[in-house]
Amino acid sequence: MDNEPKISLAEIVIITPYLVIFDLVGIGLLIVGLDDMFILDAIRFPVTQLYLRFKGVKGTATLIGNMLELFPYLGGLPISTATWLITIYLDRNPEKLEMLNKVSTIQTK
């Protein structure tokens, strides 16, 4: 397996603040008791998923985070940033990803 990370440092520096800004807006809306009515999700979800698909990264954690963001008021929490950081960690540590794949195949048998 290729040990070179697919997500470069420059891409991490560009995309992470993008997600943090959306999470800060979501937290701000949550504090005043409002919901984003899926507006933030409609912008964030396709960008992150298309990016990961184009890069060939297995972004299951980010997909789960994006799906959790669709729940009202739960989407105000910084779930997408957390799952993005998990995806970066797994991209940079392929041995951990392989360990997770082995555990998931054991669980499904």
Side-chain angles (χ1 to χ4, degrees):
M1 188 168 161
D2 189 357
N3 288 336
E4 190 69 28
K6 294 179 181 176
I7 303 173
S8 71
L9 184 60
E11 294 164 334
I12 294 169
V13 169
I14 292 170
I15 294 175
T16 304
Y18 170 80
L19 295 174
V20 169
I21 289 169
F22 279 105
D23 280 338
L24 289 175
V25 170
I27 290 170
L29 289 171
L30 186 65
I31 288 172
V32 295
L34 299 173
D35 189 26
D36 63 359
M37 303 295 196
F38 305 111
I39 296 169
L40 298 177
D41 306 321
I43 298 169
R44 177 182 44 235
F45 193 108
V47 171
T48 55
Q49 291 305 306
L50 287 173
Y51 168 76
L52 291 173
R53 297 292 180 237
F54 288 148
K55 291 298 283 188
V57 176
K58 186 173 182 179
T60 306
T62 304
L63 179 62
I64 292 170
N66 285 334
M67 297 302 284
L68 288 174
E69 292 274 349
L70 294 174
F71 290 100
Y73 296 104
L74 185 62
L77 301 173
I79 297 170
S80 64
T81 301
T83 54
W84 168 253
L85 295 175
I86 291 170
T87 302
I88 292 170
Y89 178 78
L90 291 175
D91 180 51
R92 300 210 171 257
N93 298 294
E95 67 278 354
K96 305 286 185 192
L97 181 61
E98 291 206 17
M99 183 180 68
L100 283 174
N101 287 335
K102 287 179 185 176
V103 168
S104 66
T105 55
I106 292 172
Q107 294 290 332
T108 58
K109 288 185 180 180

